[in-house]
Amino acid sequence: MQTRAARRQFVRTVVATVFIATTFSIANARQLPSTSAVAKAIAPTAVTIRTANGTGSGVVVANTGTILTSLHVVRGSTAASITMANGDVYDDVQVIDFDVRRDLVVLKIKAFGLIPARFGNSDDVAVGTPVLVLGSPRGLDNTLSDGLVSAIRDTGDGFHLIQTTAPASPGSSGGGLFSSTGELIGIVTSKLTTAENVNFATPINYARGLLSDRPSFSLADLDKRLGPLAPQTSSTSPALTAGASDSDEHSRVGAILVQSGLHIDAVGDNWRVTFKGNNADSVPVTAWLHNDVIVFGSDAVASLPLTNDELTSLLIRSFSEDLVKIGVVDKSVIVSAEAEARTLDGVLAKRLFNDVAVVADDVFGELTRLSSPGARIDIYPPLVIERHLANAASMTLNGDASRLQYSGKEWHKYSADDLRQFRNTSGEAFFRVIAERSEVPLESMEQIAIDNARNVDPGAKITKRGRQLVNGQPSLVLEISATISGIPFVLYGHYFSGPSGTVQIVGWTAQNLFDEYKAMFDAVVAGFTTK
């Protein structure tokens, strides 16, 4: 039994606890902004988007002119105008990125000093949460409505939507769904016309990966990539869907592939182009849609099972290719390349069809050659060798143990020291040869190479590594990214080691020029021979 003193203490404790809890709740309530204050804060983030097809809404998400909206607001249009909350109008509208499945697009206008929306975390949005919708329903700019989150819906198409009771009408699409504290938590995308105030927004977290400040292409280019607007993707769609269906996407990709100008045959749900090769009589390349990726592939089987030399050749060739990859799947040698379906256009499709065909034909020829007696692996195609030998100059290394031939027309020595440094005639690419009589294991050369790079840039890092045989001599191959005087560079090194010593052949150029000069660096390395 409690004593009277104990009961009094218990009551005092309960009263104190209630008082503290009440005070805490009142303090928090005082910190919450009023709806009018939130409306005033978010008003500058709203924009109205007008196209030849109608009116929609958008949200400023960066002060440098980045606008987020629903894809269907601008889909099918080659031009648009964007009206800011203060009445300013911008007609030069570019596209940064888009997501067909989730009905999102990020636009860019030439503006600065804008007031962007504050992002919330849409993963934390709960049913019953008060929300605000800000947009331009029926073209009425900067219209605010309020409601609740009534559900979080799984679309069955790989993403969720926020269902809300906040009213929305045609023209609201692309507008912001805001929390009661003014944080952007979604983009209004669709509604049910058969019910009252059953509207949907794409959670803002889906848009985060699309954000950038650098435009990629025009609205006209977007229109070409997407093709005709699929039915029922507008803001008045009676279905709980966003973006194109699988059949719509398949049709869209097929239409884009036709734009490549190649003779394309339909094979079931796939598309096929057949080339005549230099090594194989027929080189078929098949394209198919896999989720959000379009895959281009070709069988290049010469003989299976593969010998060690053939496997080594495939690994080397796969390493040296930029876009095309080579692998062994189900007892077949597969040459393939991939592209995101949303970025595909006719030009890229033609390039990938052709690139896969060329590499598949080369692989067929290489495996056929290696199956003959006495064959040796050579990673460099004849074109590179011929280019390298044109106007050849040469140097001997480590006494007369090894030799390097290079194009005297393309490369000129400009350093008189023992490092043997060369500059391309363009002045944009360089290579250096370092030869030492000490034999250093290739396993140790990687650490030496990255240490040397970090003497120039402490943040230098290896981005690609591999092994190659060059004229029968094994080499370590490294690509290293480094920043020198504020400029991103790629260091492309081949490292050789043997009883006669070590040789390093290191090329470098600005990162944005590396793809252009990689073949020239490879041509230099192709001229390395040892006795």
Side-chain angles (χ1 to χ4, degrees), residues 346-425:
V347 174
L348 179 58
K350 182 176 182 179
R351 177 185 178 188
L352 292 177
F353 268 124
N354 278 285
D355 284 358
V356 170
V358 168
V359 175
D361 186 55
D362 286 348
V363 167
F364 180 90
E366 178 75 357
L367 295 183
T368 302
R369 183 183 67 80
L370 286 172
S371 64
S372 62
R376 190 181 70 179
I377 298 174
D378 189 345
I379 67 169
Y380 295 101
L383 179 62
V384 174
I385 297 293
E386 290 172 7
R387 180 180 185 181
H388 160 73
L389 292 178
N391 301 289
S394 65
M395 70 177 77
T396 57
L397 305 168
N398 290 335
D400 197 25
S402 54
R403 185 182 183 199
L404 180 67
Q405 287 185 291
Y406 60 93
S407 172
K409 183 178 180 180
E410 293 180 342
W411 301 97
H412 299 287
K413 188 173 180 180
Y414 78 97
S415 177
D417 57 25
D418 293 335
L419 294 178
R420 301 184 177 93
Q421 193 159 296
F422 297 80
R423 177 172 55 195
N424 188 264
T425 52

Side-chain angles (χ1 to χ4, degrees), residues 439-452:
E439 180 180 3
V440 179
L442 288 181
E443 292 73 17
S444 302
M445 289 300 300
E446 179 173 327
Q447 189 60 49
I448 293 173
I450 191 61
D451 287 344
N452 289 338

